[in-house]
Amino acid sequence: MDTRWKPNVTVAAIIEKEGRYLLIEEHTQEGLKLNNPAGHLDPGESPAEGCARETLEETARPFTPKELVGIYLSRFQRPQTGEDITYVRMAFCGDIGDVQPGLSLDEGIVRTVWMTPQEVRDSAHRHRSPLVLRCIEDHLAGQRFPLGVIHTDAAVAELPPLQP
């Protein structure tokens, strides 16, 4: 039987304001961790749309992706179970709005926190992934690409929903 390897596609928001980066603190299977606002791309959405949705869900703030910071490949093995997961992460920077009254943070999110680049570096042992810091370092270095480098074909949204 042939099994095709399929990495998980995730999106992340790299949000900087007045020299600080917005991170979320969340419960994970490995304990309380820090992460960029991020999550899995859902069926029917473009990567930029997924990033805006995930950021709103995890921070209660609207986010408008303006540029791509980078595309990253990483691999993670859960210490408890040995589960082996590969991720393709698309990280975006853009404009963040104010907290929307009446919205709550997604399940598992404890809080949002603004951190200086040095505070992010100093907390690396608490990061959900090494990509948390890598994306911020790339952003600090000025790495940016136009959103047009990622094309989402119309069929992504137009075809009927995927069946399990």
Side-chain angles (χ1 to χ4, degrees), residues 28-131:
T28 72
Q29 292 180 29
E30 289 70 46
L32 199 58
K33 297 289 185 177
L34 293 168
N35 198 4
N36 314 103
H40 291 268
L41 186 63
D42 282 353
E45 65 187 2
S46 72
E49 290 167 343
C51 189
R53 175 189 50 76
E54 284 288 350
T55 303
L56 183 63
E57 290 173 359
E58 294 192 353
T59 70
R61 295 170 175 263
F63 176 68
T64 305
K66 297 289 187 180
E67 297 172 299
L68 177 71
V69 175
I71 300 173
Y72 305 85
L73 184 67
S74 67
R75 186 174 171 197
F76 177 72
Q77 290 183 324
R78 291 201 188 285
Q80 301 90 332
T81 64
E83 180 183 16
D84 193 315
I85 309 165
T86 299
Y87 295 98
V88 173
R89 173 188 265 207
M90 289 174 256
F92 298 87
C93 60
D95 299 329
I96 190 79
D98 295 328
V99 171
Q100 300 297 293
L103 288 183
S104 58
L105 302 180
D106 216 0
E107 186 177 336
I109 307 296
V110 175
R111 66 183 176 129
T112 62
V113 59
W114 290 95
M115 301 175 82
T116 66
Q118 192 57 51
E119 290 170 332
V120 175
R121 290 179 192 111
D122 292 344
S123 65
H125 65 284
R126 294 194 56 223
H127 294 178
R128 185 159 187 180
S129 157
L131 296 182

Side-chain angles (χ1 to χ4, degrees), residues 17-31:
K17 188 174 184 179
E18 298 175 5
R20 293 181 176 270
Y21 284 87
L22 182 61
L23 298 181
I24 55 129
E25 188 175 45
E26 63 183 332
H27 289 288
T28 72
Q29 292 180 29
E30 289 70 46

